Amino acid sequence: MVGSPGHDSSEPPPLPLLNLLAISGSLRAASTNSALIAALAANAPADCRVTVYDGLGRLPIFNADDEGERTPRGAGELIDAVTRADGVIVSCPEYAHGVPGGMKNALDWLVSRDAAVGKPAMLVHASPRSLYARAALAEIMRTMSFALCEGVMLEIALLGKKPPEVEAILAEPANRQAMRGALQAFAAFIRAR
Ligand SMILES: Cc1cc2nc3c(=O)[nH]c(=O)nc-3n(C[C@H](O)[C@H](O)[C@H](O)COP(=O)(O)O)c2cc1C
């Protein structure tokens, strides 16, 4: 008998698991971007594991003098997490038509490393506005040589919503399906590379 127990040999073998690192650009306890990231992790298809990065608020402010051997531990952990990930997902608010400082600071720690080079990345959106930040983030990440997955669009309008309503919106079947669909499309983008 050919094949392994529990696997029908007429079916294609299961795809290897993709490890995706998800970063919210907001530090607010009731952040809608963080809620979206958490919901993506909870709704990931079987072939994707989404790990939420929670170190944004502990990163020191980027200083190019502190790279190399002097890299602070938190920045080193971020660099390692991005290096290990098969892909990176970012959900980020807009502040004053720009990218919030905490998010830009995290990206700055990755600029002169190899971690971002060719790394698949996808932007997802918790606000129907934030068009300046979306464009700026895409430009920054392309400049850093992330491989930005631009064909997938996930936007769930959570702007101004408070936690109970945010959870209810994210639990709607159509939104869960949209999240799964976006992750499946991102996984296909990663696997095609
Ligand atoms: C300091 C500050 C500046 C903001 N500036 C903008 C802006 O320029 N454009 C916009 O669409 N929203 C702006 N907003 C609204 C936030 O982007 C919005 O509340 C977002 O949903 C917050 O994300 P969070 O829930 O993940 O914290 C601003 C909010 C703050 C606190």
Side-chain angles (χ1 to χ4, degrees):
M1 179 174 161
V2 179
S4 55
H7 179 243
D8 180 346
S9 59
S10 65
E11 291 175 11
L15 294 167
L17 189 70
L18 290 179
N19 285 305
L20 307 177
L21 183 72
I23 305 175
S24 166
S26 173
L27 297 177
R28 281 198 320 124
S31 161
T32 52
N33 287 279
S34 301
L36 175 56
I37 289 289
L40 279 170
N43 288 285
D47 60 332
C48 296
R49 179 169 50 215
V50 177
T51 303
V52 176
Y53 173 69
D54 68 354
L56 200 76
R58 297 189 300 275
L59 281 175
I61 294 178
F62 174 74
N63 179 344
D65 287 343
D66 290 342
E67 293 196 284
E69 288 183 0
R70 294 178 49 163
T71 301
R73 195 168 74 185
E77 286 168 358
L78 170 66
I79 293 161
D80 289 347
V82 172
T83 301
R84 281 196 308 271
D86 295 304
V88 173
I89 300 168
V90 172
S91 185
C92 187
E94 174 171 295
Y95 286 173
H97 286 186
V99 177
M103 185 71 229
K104 182 63 166 64
N105 184 49
L107 292 170
D108 286 345
W109 280 112
L110 298 165
V111 167
S112 55
R113 312 301 183 117
D114 293 334
V117 177
K119 183 69 62 180
M122 176 172 74
L123 301 180
V124 297
H125 311 288
S127 164
R129 299 189 328 207
S130 72
L131 301 183
Y132 291 95
R134 293 183 195 199
L137 207 45
E139 174 64 16
I140 292 162
M141 292 178 74
R142 276 193 301 262
T143 301
M144 294 171 66
S145 299
F146 276 99
L148 209 54
C149 175
E150 311 212 33
V152 184
M153 166 68 173
L154 177 67
E155 175 187 297
I156 300 185
L158 301 172
L159 178 69
K161 308 286 187 208
K162 300 280 179 290
E165 196 181 353
V166 166
E167 302 315 324
I169 293 169
L170 289 169
E172 287 172 13
N175 287 333
R176 294 181 63 190
Q177 186 50 44
M179 288 186 267
R180 258 195 304 275
L183 287 171
Q184 277 161 346
F186 187 38
F189 173 81
I190 294 170
R191 291 199 163 98
R193 291 176 56 77

mmCIF file of all heavy atoms in Angstrom, residues 26 28 30-33 93-97 129-130 159, ligand 1:
data_model
loop_
_atom_site.group_PDB
_atom_site.id
_atom_site.type_symbol
_atom_site.label_atom_id
_atom_site.label_comp_id
_atom_site.label_asym_id
_atom_site.label_seq_id
_atom_site.Cartn_x
_atom_site.Cartn_y
_atom_site.Cartn_z
ATOM 1 N N SER A 26 -0.843 50.320 15.407
ATOM 2 C CA SER A 26 -1.455 51.090 16.500
ATOM 3 C C SER A 26 -1.145 50.442 17.829
ATOM 4 O O SER A 26 -1.213 49.220 17.975
ATOM 5 C CB SER A 26 -2.976 51.162 16.318
ATOM 6 O OG SER A 26 -3.574 51.753 17.454
ATOM 7 N N ARG A 28 -2.906 51.433 20.593
ATOM 8 C CA ARG A 28 -4.099 51.583 21.434
ATOM 9 C C ARG A 28 -4.596 50.231 21.913
ATOM 10 O O ARG A 28 -4.641 49.263 21.143
ATOM 11 C CB ARG A 28 -5.232 52.223 20.633
ATOM 12 C CG ARG A 28 -5.115 53.709 20.467
ATOM 13 C CD ARG A 28 -6.433 54.371 20.063
ATOM 14 N NE ARG A 28 -7.226 53.622 19.101
ATOM 15 C CZ ARG A 28 -8.488 53.269 19.333
ATOM 16 N NH1 ARG A 28 -9.095 53.580 20.468
ATOM 17 N NH2 ARG A 28 -9.167 52.617 18.404
ATOM 18 N N ALA A 30 -7.592 49.401 22.506
ATOM 19 C CA ALA A 30 -8.796 49.033 21.756
ATOM 20 C C ALA A 30 -8.606 49.291 20.262
ATOM 21 O O ALA A 30 -9.553 49.631 19.552
ATOM 22 C CB ALA A 30 -9.991 49.820 22.273
ATOM 23 N N SER A 31 -7.401 49.088 19.784
ATOM 24 C CA SER A 31 -7.087 49.367 18.381
ATOM 25 C C SER A 31 -7.895 48.504 17.424
ATOM 26 O O SER A 31 -7.945 47.271 17.563
ATOM 27 C CB SER A 31 -5.592 49.122 18.134
ATOM 28 O OG SER A 31 -5.342 48.951 16.756
ATOM 29 N N THR A 32 -8.465 49.142 16.416
ATOM 30 C CA THR A 32 -9.191 48.399 15.387
ATOM 31 C C THR A 32 -8.218 47.658 14.466
ATOM 32 O O THR A 32 -8.535 46.578 13.960
ATOM 33 C CB THR A 32 -10.060 49.355 14.558
ATOM 34 O OG1 THR A 32 -9.245 50.445 14.083
ATOM 35 C CG2 THR A 32 -11.188 49.937 15.391
ATOM 36 N N ASN A 33 -7.037 48.243 14.253
ATOM 37 C CA ASN A 33 -6.031 47.556 13.422
ATOM 38 C C ASN A 33 -5.530 46.293 14.118
ATOM 39 O O ASN A 33 -5.364 45.244 13.485
ATOM 40 C CB ASN A 33 -4.877 48.508 13.098
ATOM 41 C CG ASN A 33 -5.275 49.556 12.086
ATOM 42 O OD1 ASN A 33 -5.287 49.298 10.884
ATOM 43 N ND2 ASN A 33 -5.657 50.738 12.553
ATOM 44 N N PRO A 93 -2.967 52.388 11.049
ATOM 45 C CA PRO A 93 -3.800 53.595 10.911
ATOM 46 C C PRO A 93 -3.037 54.717 10.213
ATOM 47 O O PRO A 93 -1.839 54.594 9.933
ATOM 48 C CB PRO A 93 -4.112 53.975 12.358
ATOM 49 C CG PRO A 93 -3.025 53.413 13.182
ATOM 50 C CD PRO A 93 -2.493 52.208 12.434
ATOM 51 N N GLU A 94 -3.762 55.792 9.935
ATOM 52 C CA GLU A 94 -3.140 57.010 9.392
ATOM 53 C C GLU A 94 -3.163 58.075 10.475
ATOM 54 O O GLU A 94 -4.199 58.283 11.119
ATOM 55 C CB GLU A 94 -3.951 57.486 8.182
ATOM 56 C CG GLU A 94 -3.489 58.829 7.617
ATOM 57 C CD GLU A 94 -4.184 59.126 6.295
ATOM 58 O OE1 GLU A 94 -3.952 58.387 5.325
ATOM 59 O OE2 GLU A 94 -4.979 60.090 6.250
ATOM 60 N N TYR A 95 -2.039 58.727 10.692
ATOM 61 C CA TYR A 95 -1.974 59.868 11.602
ATOM 62 C C TYR A 95 -1.501 61.076 10.796
ATOM 63 O O TYR A 95 -0.399 61.037 10.212
ATOM 64 C CB TYR A 95 -0.972 59.611 12.743
ATOM 65 C CG TYR A 95 -1.416 58.631 13.818
ATOM 66 C CD1 TYR A 95 -0.525 58.237 14.802
ATOM 67 C CD2 TYR A 95 -2.712 58.110 13.861
ATOM 68 C CE1 TYR A 95 -0.903 57.342 15.806
ATOM 69 C CE2 TYR A 95 -3.102 57.220 14.851
ATOM 70 C CZ TYR A 95 -2.190 56.835 15.819
ATOM 71 O OH TYR A 95 -2.569 55.949 16.796
ATOM 72 N N ALA A 96 -2.297 62.147 10.797
ATOM 73 C CA ALA A 96 -1.934 63.390 10.108
ATOM 74 C C ALA A 96 -1.395 63.118 8.701
ATOM 75 O O ALA A 96 -0.325 63.573 8.312
ATOM 76 C CB ALA A 96 -0.898 64.169 10.931
ATOM 77 N N HIS A 97 -2.179 62.332 7.978
ATOM 78 C CA HIS A 97 -1.872 61.985 6.586
ATOM 79 C C HIS A 97 -0.549 61.234 6.433
ATOM 80 O O HIS A 97 0.066 61.272 5.362
ATOM 81 C CB HIS A 97 -1.876 63.231 5.679
ATOM 82 C CG HIS A 97 -3.251 63.744 5.398
ATOM 83 N ND1 HIS A 97 -3.514 64.775 4.518
ATOM 84 C CD2 HIS A 97 -4.456 63.356 5.889
ATOM 85 C CE1 HIS A 97 -4.817 65.003 4.486
ATOM 86 N NE2 HIS A 97 -5.409 64.162 5.314
ATOM 87 N N ARG A 129 -10.701 55.079 5.110
ATOM 88 C CA ARG A 129 -9.954 56.313 4.796
ATOM 89 C C ARG A 129 -8.466 55.950 4.722
ATOM 90 O O ARG A 129 -8.091 55.036 4.031
ATOM 91 C CB ARG A 129 -10.231 57.368 5.865
ATOM 92 C CG ARG A 129 -11.714 57.735 5.943
ATOM 93 C CD ARG A 129 -12.005 58.939 6.830
ATOM 94 N NE ARG A 129 -11.127 59.123 7.950
ATOM 95 C CZ ARG A 129 -11.454 59.728 9.088
ATOM 96 N NH1 ARG A 129 -12.683 60.191 9.238
ATOM 97 N NH2 ARG A 129 -10.586 59.882 10.053
ATOM 98 N N SER A 130 -7.636 56.695 5.375
ATOM 99 C CA SER A 130 -6.194 56.407 5.485
ATOM 100 C C SER A 130 -5.489 56.215 4.142
ATOM 101 O O SER A 130 -4.547 55.433 4.036
ATOM 102 C CB SER A 130 -5.950 55.187 6.398
ATOM 103 O OG SER A 130 -6.346 53.983 5.788
ATOM 104 N N LEU A 159 -13.415 51.765 11.457
ATOM 105 C CA LEU A 159 -13.098 53.121 11.923
ATOM 106 C C LEU A 159 -14.176 53.632 12.881
ATOM 107 O O LEU A 159 -15.367 53.616 12.558
ATOM 108 C CB LEU A 159 -12.993 54.063 10.718
ATOM 109 C CG LEU A 159 -12.720 55.530 11.035
ATOM 110 C CD1 LEU A 159 -11.310 55.704 11.585
ATOM 111 C CD2 LEU A 159 -12.900 56.393 9.782
HETATM 112 C C1 LIG B 1 -3.142 61.629 16.115
HETATM 113 C C2 LIG B 1 -4.161 61.114 15.138
HETATM 114 C C3 LIG B 1 -4.157 61.579 13.839
HETATM 115 C C4 LIG B 1 -5.073 61.060 12.904
HETATM 116 N N1 LIG B 1 -5.023 61.486 11.622
HETATM 117 C C5 LIG B 1 -5.805 60.892 10.684
HETATM 118 C C6 LIG B 1 -5.686 61.224 9.305
HETATM 119 O O1 LIG B 1 -4.888 62.046 8.909
HETATM 120 N N2 LIG B 1 -6.484 60.567 8.416
HETATM 121 C C7 LIG B 1 -7.383 59.593 8.809
HETATM 122 O O2 LIG B 1 -8.062 59.014 7.972
HETATM 123 N N3 LIG B 1 -7.537 59.283 10.114
HETATM 124 C C8 LIG B 1 -6.765 59.900 11.052
HETATM 125 N N4 LIG B 1 -6.872 59.552 12.369
HETATM 126 C C9 LIG B 1 -7.858 58.544 12.731
HETATM 127 C C10 LIG B 1 -7.211 57.150 12.865
HETATM 128 O O3 LIG B 1 -6.487 56.804 11.716
HETATM 129 C C11 LIG B 1 -8.292 56.161 13.128
HETATM 130 O O4 LIG B 1 -8.901 56.484 14.341
HETATM 131 C C12 LIG B 1 -7.797 54.748 13.181
HETATM 132 O O5 LIG B 1 -8.904 53.901 13.059
HETATM 133 C C13 LIG B 1 -7.091 54.418 14.468
HETATM 134 O O6 LIG B 1 -6.634 53.090 14.399
HETATM 135 P P1 LIG B 1 -6.675 52.161 15.688
HETATM 136 O O7 LIG B 1 -8.128 51.938 16.033
HETATM 137 O O8 LIG B 1 -6.034 50.883 15.236
HETATM 138 O O9 LIG B 1 -5.920 52.837 16.780
HETATM 139 C C14 LIG B 1 -6.002 60.086 13.314
HETATM 140 C C15 LIG B 1 -6.011 59.660 14.650
HETATM 141 C C16 LIG B 1 -5.112 60.161 15.552
HETATM 142 C C17 LIG B 1 -5.136 59.657 16.980
#
